């Protein structure tokens, strides 16, 4: 069980410092001198190094870890921050898996029971915890950007063999429209006669036998 948590007095600097980590080049070591170069020269700002170490973003020597790389990702950083918060404050999350959503007095009570520290220390731990949790995302969704529709379309095109028919091609004709159809042409050679009754007899026979 934890008997102390890291804290920084200037909690309003946590967000800007994390933002600088994303925009600045990855250092070999994050030092007080580098913080000053970044524009965080106040003595209280130095404590962020200890917070980042306890969260696992820096080694004890101040060198960036693999989590630091994710912290620099403009999409992933709030998710890895949420993961590291849950790890550092595991004893608090054992009490309530959504403790970052609870009222301040309940969170302070949990910190007090876990650490056994005095009211002043608990208040400092809580302020830093709350500042970190406000910046983080805890739902674990989309740790990396989803592929765009354009990329999906490209993948699909690559997967299809050459000569394959696109699903967006012209719809096929209905079966009945493509069925073979037969047409008959009947030629009648009429006899040469002046007796009209002969023609009447011929056409009557055609009508009766061909169902015209």
């Amino acid at each position: 069980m934890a008997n102390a948590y890291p804290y920084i007095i200037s909690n309003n600097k946590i967000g800007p410092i994390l933002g600088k980590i994303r925009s600045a080049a990855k250092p070999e070591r994050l030092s007080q001198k580098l913080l000053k170069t970044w524009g965080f020269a106040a003595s209280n700002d130095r404590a962020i190094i200890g917070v980042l170490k306890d969260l696992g973003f820096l080694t004890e020597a101040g060198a960036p870890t693999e989590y630091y790389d994710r912290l620099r990702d403009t999409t992933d950083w709030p998710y890895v921050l949420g993961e590291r918060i849950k790890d550092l404050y595991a004893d608090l999350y054992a009490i309530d898996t959504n403790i970052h959503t609870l009222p301040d007095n309940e969170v302070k009570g949990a910190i007090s029971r876990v650490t056994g520290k005095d009211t002043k220390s608990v208040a400092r731990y809580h302020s830093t915890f709350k500042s970190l949790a406000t910046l983080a995302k805890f739902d674990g969704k989309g740790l990396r950007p989803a592929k765009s529709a354009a990329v999906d379309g490209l993948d699909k095109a690559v997967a299809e063999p050459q000569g394959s028919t696109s699903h967006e091609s012209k719809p096929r004709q209905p079966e009945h429209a493509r069925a073979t159809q037969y047409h008959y042409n009947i030629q009648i050679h009429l006899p040469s006669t002046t007796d009209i009754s002969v023609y009447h007899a011929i056409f009557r026979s055609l009508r009766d036998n061909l169902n015209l």
Side-chain angles (χ1 to χ4, degrees), residues 74-143:
T74 56
T75 302
D76 193 21
W77 75 267
Y79 295 100
V80 69
L81 181 59
E83 291 174 16
R84 301 314 303 157
I85 287 172
K86 284 188 173 182
D87 184 74
L88 176 59
Y89 298 94
D91 291 329
L92 299 182
Y93 281 92
I95 296 172
D96 192 305
T97 56
N98 291 300
I99 196 164
H100 54 275
T101 66
L102 298 183
D104 291 348
N105 63 319
E106 294 188 32
V107 180
K108 288 180 181 179
I111 293 174
S112 177
R113 294 192 299 275
V114 168
T115 64
K117 297 295 184 180
D118 58 88
T119 303
K120 184 177 181 180
S121 297
V122 168
R124 287 176 172 176
Y125 299 156
H126 171 260
S127 293
T128 297
F129 169 76
K130 185 176 181 180
S131 297
L132 290 167
T134 300
L135 296 169
K137 291 185 179 180
F138 298 91
D139 55 16
K141 297 179 181 177
L143 295 186

Side-chain angles (χ1 to χ4, degrees), residues 41-72:
S43 58
N44 286 331
D45 298 342
R46 302 170 187 170
I48 192 65
I49 296 176
V51 174
L52 293 173
K53 287 180 179 179
D54 284 357
L55 285 168
F57 294 119
L58 300 173
T59 66
E60 283 302 313
T65 67
E66 60 181 20
Y67 296 118
Y68 187 96
D69 293 333
R70 292 179 59 192
L71 194 62
R72 299 183 68 239

